[in-house]
Amino acid sequence: GGGEAGGGWEAPLDGRRLHDLVLSPMVALLNGSPEPPATQFRLALMTALGALGREPLYADSACRGAVVLALSSHLHHDELSREYSTAMRELRALAEAAESEDGSEPTTEALCRSLLPELAPEWVWWMVEAPEWLAPTAARLLDASVTEMVSMLIPHALPAIVLVGGLGLRGVFPNGERGRQAMRLLELLAEQLGLTRAELLIHHMHLILAELFVQQAADDTGTLNDAIPGGLELVAAC
């Protein structure tokens, strides 16, 4: 132990901490915060993210999930574009790196399926926020249709949607505008699967209730005090 000398770096650099300290700022830059970067810089950022994702230090699912999310948001570009080719090159290299570590199949589909708990909660919001990104990602990374992709995402994403939407009904918006858009997202997901919102929620009620109880019980900030009543209110509204 080094006492207080290390300041904020005393805590072990686990995957979540590396994500927050290193990858999250890079992804924010890539996504145009505070402003869209020039093409050459954007391509360099994509390449750097891919290289970091292949490093053993960043092998944690939180880190690799962030890399895949960032790169997959560029697959809607024309297949002859540099954005598309750079994104696919890095994603394939990451899949090969993951395969060499655990013996899994070296495909982007195998990589993405292994990271679904990280990917699904963000990919699912593309239904509302960037619908044009869904089909290219489904086809090129999962070898699936959008409907098949949504079916994969639902078990990992639906509980968090209900949590965010329920909090929004109570006037709590930890995820900003998403709290107001949750009901619309549930409608789109249900339509994609040929269900009503109520049917969609009933089919996954065991997952939803577990998430609401776990999140409210684990929260010590008071932010999620309305998780259970808000989530149940949203379910009842469907």
Side-chain angles (χ1 to χ4, degrees):
E4 297 297 319
W9 292 91
E10 284 298 306
L13 283 177
D14 60 11
R16 180 56 62 184
R17 190 163 165 78
L18 283 168
H19 169 276
D20 294 345
L21 288 172
V22 181
L23 296 179
S24 187
M26 292 176 67
V27 171
L29 273 176
L30 182 61
N31 290 341
S33 178
E35 60 183 42
T39 299
Q40 203 59 42
F41 183 51
R42 188 163 62 247
L43 298 176
L45 274 174
M46 292 164 69
T47 301
L49 280 167
L52 285 175
R54 296 191 295 275
E55 289 292 326
L57 186 62
Y58 292 83
D60 181 273
S61 61
C63 292
R64 284 195 170 159
V67 172
V68 172
L69 279 170
L71 295 173
S72 63
S73 68
H74 292 266
L75 297 182
H76 64 286
H77 290 286
D78 186 278
E79 292 190 18
L80 297 178
S81 70
R82 289 189 293 167
E83 280 90 350
Y84 174 86
S85 61
T86 299
M88 281 307 303
R89 182 192 70 220
E90 296 303 326
L91 286 162
R92 289 179 180 128
L94 185 54
E96 290 173 5
E99 181 272 338
S100 68
E101 292 164 3
D102 60 20
S104 61
E105 191 179 359
T107 64
T108 57
E109 181 180 355
L111 172 68
C112 292
R113 284 179 178 273
S114 73
L115 293 172
L116 275 179
E118 300 289 336
L119 300 172
E122 287 299 317
W123 270 351
V124 77
W125 279 99
W126 290 0
M127 292 284 291
V128 171
E129 298 169 353
E132 70 277 10
W133 296 359
L134 284 167
T137 298
R140 290 158 187 167
L141 294 189
L142 295 168
D143 191 24
S145 66
V146 171
T147 299
E148 290 167 335
M149 179 183 184
V150 167
S151 294
M152 295 179 208
L153 303 184
I154 285 290
H156 303 284
L158 192 61
I161 299 169
V162 173
L163 173 66
V164 168
L167 289 172
L169 291 179
R170 294 300 183 103
V172 180
F173 299 97
N175 295 80
E177 194 61 27
R178 287 183 175 181
R180 296 180 177 88
Q181 295 175 330
M183 198 69 87
R184 174 60 179 155
L185 175 57
L186 291 174
E187 185 72 40
L188 291 172
L189 293 171
E191 286 177 4
Q192 191 71 45
L193 298 176
L195 302 170
T196 65
R197 284 185 312 203
E199 289 170 336
L200 177 66
L201 296 176
I202 288 168
H203 290 170
H204 299 89
M205 190 61 70
H206 60 298
L207 298 174
I208 292 167
L209 291 176
E211 177 77 1
L212 296 178
F213 279 92
V214 167
Q215 290 296 332
Q216 183 163 325
D219 175 55
D220 57 6
T221 67
T223 304
L224 302 183
N225 284 345
D226 287 321
I228 295 170
L232 294 178
E233 186 178 331
L234 182 138
V235 170
C238 290

